[in-house]
Amino acid sequence: MYESSRALFERAQQSIPGGVNSPVRAFKSVGGDPVFIRGAKGAWLYDVDGNQYIDYINSWGPMILGHAWEPVVKAIQEKVKDSTSFGAPTALEIDMAELIKSMAPNIDLVRMVNSGTEACMSALRLARGYTGRNKFIKFEGCYHGHADSFLVKAGSGLATFNIQKVPGVTAGVANDTLTCAYNDLGAVQELVTHHKDQVAAIIIEPVAGNMGCIPPAEGFLEGLRRICTEEGIVLIFDEVMTGFRLAPGGAQERLSVDADLVTYGKVIGAGMPVGAFGGKKEIMQHIAPLGKVYQAGTLSGNPIAMIAGYTLLKALQERNEIYSELEEKTLYLKQGLDEALSLSGKPYRINQLGSMISIHFSDQPVTDFASAAASDNAFFNRLFHAMLRRGIYLPPSAFETWFISNALEKAELDQTIAALKEAMAELLSA
Ligand SMILES: *Cc1c(COP(=O)(O)O)cnc(C)c1O
């Protein structure tokens, strides 16, 4: 069933570390060998052995309207004829910036980069440059890319591989990273008081997606907003996952809380390598060439990446009903998963907000990293394979949210629910 994938994985390991270009792809936590993908269309992934899967990763978010969405494919094909990069400004970059501003109204200026990592790394540097402070607060289990400062209690990838301390990140850097449990406002207040006038920024996934899906508790984001305003701390919403997914204006719009700086990735590039960070002019004007906080990129604002992202974002803006459709589908799936799991007798929790959803096998509410880690994740790992064998491609770790695309129709959702019933019966009878 997986012969060609196995052969490719063998070959890949001879020339690529671990055979993959990003660790979570390696199936290491769930065990087994990764499946190699040949192509995808709509809700479906096709592997090199002729198997097909209903896709709940969607390239970790970007394929919110499904794979190979025609308008994006066409736009890229047209644009590529005019060369792939110039290293000089283009009108398209202005169109993109204006479109982002129209979707997230509290953004005055926005800088394009090439990944979510770059966006978060640059936003943090900017917050430090702007405030003249060094420390920042992040939350256990939140992932903000792989820049040194963020690789402290950093969620999915590291949790999946049980990496506690990352070799190569110096103590000096790690010492400036303060961490709190997600949803623990009291702990944030204590840290801020203890490090009075030293905290440059609080960065958070406004809906966490890198320890499974964990929504913010009532009043939590509002509390962070208040603390930041009172203490002159820059509030950074890492919307790499939630941006353009939870609403046209992301979590800021969906949850009615404004950040000072916002970072984007994933959906913003429609599957091309794109990130962005933006915010109020007062802060953003400190970025070079306006200010002294240096940040640059040879390929930033790349025309092919911009036309792909622009085409997708424009569609999301114009067809606002996409968001209610996505939510309806996710709620339908949630109800089906709920029924399938309750039949099995195994304790579970389903967390969901908008088109983000995940299952934790726990009899306790899952509200932070500790409660996510305390779940029966070994069982999830077995479930992953039982689902894969049935043609359902879930994220290969219990510490990841599932990404719903609008290409999923009732037939695929029903197939997923039926597969879960079967898979649970198989696993629990064994
Ligand atoms: C994926 C992700 C990142 C990192 O983005 P890359 O494009 O992989 O560098 C940062 N923050 C969050 C919340 C993410 O989900």
Side-chain angles (χ1 to χ4, degrees):
M1 190 179 180
Y2 301 118
E3 287 78 24
S4 303
S5 276
R6 286 228 178 87
L8 286 174
F9 192 49
E10 266 307 304
R11 204 180 119 207
Q13 291 174 86
Q14 307 309 313
S15 47
I16 302 171
V20 291
N21 279 312
S22 194
V24 285
R25 293 179 200 165
F27 279 19
K28 230 175 147 177
S29 77
V30 292
D33 293 344
V35 167
F36 279 67
I37 302 301
R38 177 175 57 77
K41 179 72 189 168
W44 292 86
L45 275 180
Y46 305 103
D47 78 6
V48 289
D49 286 290
N51 304 306
Q52 59 180 52
Y53 310 90
I54 299 174
D55 188 10
Y56 287 96
I57 303 185
N58 283 294
S59 188
W60 305 92
M63 302 305 166
I64 191 165
L65 298 185
H67 287 278
W69 190 60
E70 215 42 55
V72 166
V73 172
K74 286 221 175 87
I76 291 174
Q77 284 171 337
E78 266 312 301
K79 200 73 195 168
V80 77
K81 294 175 193 158
D82 299 328
S83 180
T84 46
S85 180
F86 313 110
T90 61
L92 186 53
E93 292 164 79
I94 315 171
D95 294 338
M96 186 67 164
E98 288 175 351
L99 179 59
I100 294 167
K101 284 174 60 173
S102 73
M103 295 173 90
N106 64 329
I107 290 182
D108 300 326
L109 294 172
V110 57
R111 170 69 53 89
M112 303 307 302
V113 294
N114 306 293
S115 67
T117 294
E118 273 187 61
C120 295
M121 174 187 89
S122 307
L124 178 62
R125 183 184 305 135
L126 173 58
R128 285 171 159 162
Y130 169 70
T131 58
R133 303 171 179 178
N134 289 339
K135 294 192 186 299
F136 76 102
I137 296 174
K138 76 176 284 290
F139 295 90
E140 288 165 28
C142 281
Y143 181 63
H144 305 293
H146 62 90
D148 288 5
S149 304
F150 297 121
L151 290 182
V152 179
K153 302 191 176 172
S156 52
L158 290 92
T160 301
F161 297 108
N162 197 21
I163 297 173
Q164 304 296 342
K165 266 191 82 186
V166 179
V169 175
T170 64
V173 167
N175 284 343
D176 284 331
T177 305
L178 308 172
T179 62
C180 283
Y182 199 84
N183 278 328
D184 190 346
L185 195 60
V188 176
Q189 185 67 66
E190 253 173 53
L191 268 185
V192 167
T193 307
H194 190 255
H195 298 276
K196 181 95 184 140
D197 297 331
Q198 296 173 58
V199 178
I202 296 177
I203 185 167
I204 185 164
E205 292 179 61
V207 178
N210 284 292
M211 40 186 165
C213 171
I214 298 188
E218 182 113 24
F220 180 55
L221 296 178
E222 291 80 355
L224 295 181
R225 177 65 276 172
R226 180 182 47 75
I227 291 171
C228 286
T229 304
E230 285 171 7
E231 301 290 335
I233 296 168
V234 177
L235 179 60
I236 307 174
F237 274 5
D238 177 351
E239 295 229 42
V240 171
M241 200 180 281
T242 54
F244 314 106
R245 171 164 288 278
L246 295 182
Q252 290 198 109
E253 177 183 338
R254 174 68 196 246
L255 304 173
S256 308
V257 182
D258 278 357
D260 300 310
L261 288 177
V262 186
T263 63
Y264 295 111
K266 300 191 168 117
V267 175
I268 201 174
M272 297 293 283
V274 182
F277 64 103
K280 291 177 193 151
K281 183 162 183 227
E282 187 198 327
I283 304 176
M284 287 299 289
Q285 70 189 359
H286 291 267
I287 282 282
L290 276 181
K292 290 184 180 163
V293 178
Y294 196 70
Q295 190 281 328
T298 301
L299 296 177
S300 295
N302 172 274
I304 313 306
M306 290 301 97
I307 199 66
Y310 181 85
T311 305
L312 180 60
L313 296 196
K314 193 79 187 159
L316 293 173
Q317 183 182 50
E318 281 171 0
R319 292 170 42 208
N320 212 277
E321 68 276 12
I322 287 169
Y323 292 97
S324 47
E325 289 168 19
L326 273 169
E327 180 121 26
E328 263 169 47
K329 289 174 185 183
T330 311
L331 289 172
Y332 181 83
L333 177 67
K334 184 184 187 181
Q335 195 186 346
L337 298 178
D338 201 17
E339 278 168 26
L341 292 171
S342 63
L343 283 175
S344 77
K346 176 106 185 143
Y348 66 94
R349 299 277 159 166
I350 304 177
N351 285 352
Q352 175 262 337
L353 202 153
S355 56
M356 293 165 67
I357 184 168
S358 66
I359 298 172
H360 291 96
F361 290 100
S362 174
D363 54 7
Q364 302 294 317
V366 176
T367 57
D368 57 13
F369 183 73
S371 45
S375 307
D376 187 353
N377 296 326
F379 185 81
F380 177 89
N381 296 343
R382 293 169 59 213
L383 179 67
F384 168 82
H385 283 289
M387 293 296 276
L388 194 71
R389 281 196 298 278
R390 290 173 171 81
I392 313 292
Y393 200 119
L394 301 178
S397 165
F399 293 104
E400 305 282 359
T401 190
W402 308 5
F403 299 93
I404 305 304
S405 89
N406 211 34
L408 287 163
E409 298 296 347
K410 191 165 171 293
E412 281 101 16
L413 298 172
D414 285 338
Q415 193 175 326
T416 306
I417 294 160
L420 181 65
K421 274 186 198 150
E422 271 184 38
M424 291 299 289
E426 175 196 303
L427 294 177
L428 293 172
S429 72

